[in-house]
Structure formats: C-alpha cells, structure tokens
C-alpha cells in the first residue's frame, strides 16, 4: 500500500516495500479434472498481460492491491457445463 490509499496502517516507505509489502498469491481456480481442460492461464500485475515477480503492489501503473489471475477453460463434454 502507498500513503495515498485509505488504509494508512498498511502504508510503508518505498524503501520498505519489498520487505513489508504483500507479494503472496491468494487466488485459485478450482474445477473437476474430468470437466474441463485448460486452454491457457496467465497472471498479470501490470495491466499488460504480464507479471513482474517480486513486485509489491499497487504501483503507479497498476493501482490495485490485487493481481489478475485468468484462465481459459474448455469443457470436455457439453454435459460438463450444464448444457
């Protein structure tokens, strides 16, 4: 967090961002193994469909404190999607 965000108790100096910033993954996409195949998966903390490791966010170019996790799934059969 930066000092511009409303939760000042979580703010830290630029020099302390790596040691005090939150860089832990927290999101998962769960589905049955027999229901879907994964076409592609990516994570993004830049807004440019790329992920910079060891980056505490938000940043000036990515003003969210949550990264993006995206996956394109393909149903194995029409019945697996309720169709």
């Amino acid at each position: 967090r930066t000092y511009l965000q409303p939760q000042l108790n979580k703010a830290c100096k630029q020099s302390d961002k790596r040691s005090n910033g939150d860089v832990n993954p927290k999101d998962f996409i769960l589905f049955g193994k027999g229901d879907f195949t994964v076409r592609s998966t990516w994570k993004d903390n830049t807004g440019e469909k790329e992920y910079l490791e060891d980056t505490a966010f938000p940043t000036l170019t990515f003003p969210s404190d949550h990264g993006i996790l995206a996956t394109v799934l393909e149903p194995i059969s029409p019945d697996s999607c309720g169709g």
Side-chain angles (χ1 to χ4, degrees):
R1 297 210 171 253
T2 65
Y3 291 106
L4 297 176
Q5 292 181 288
Q7 295 178 330
L8 293 177
N9 59 317
K10 294 183 179 181
C12 64
K13 295 179 183 177
Q14 174 73 24
S15 58
D16 296 332
K17 247 169 83 168
R18 182 64 186 111
S19 61
N20 294 339
D22 186 357
V23 294
N24 299 303
K26 294 179 182 65
D27 298 306
F28 300 90
I29 298 172
L30 304 174
F31 57 91
K33 186 174 182 178
D35 296 331
F36 296 94
T37 58
V38 176
R39 303 261 334 236
S40 60
T41 298
W42 66 95
K43 56 186 180 176
D44 183 353
N45 65 355
T46 66
E48 302 291 330
K49 290 188 177 179
E50 63 180 314
Y51 191 86
L52 302 176
E53 295 292 339
D54 296 324
T55 300
F57 40 88
T59 66
L60 291 176
T61 57
F62 192 81
S64 175
D65 61 344
H66 297 272
I68 298 167
L69 175 63
T71 297
V72 176
L73 301 174
E74 183 173 323
I76 291 177
S77 70
D79 294 336
S80 63
C81 285

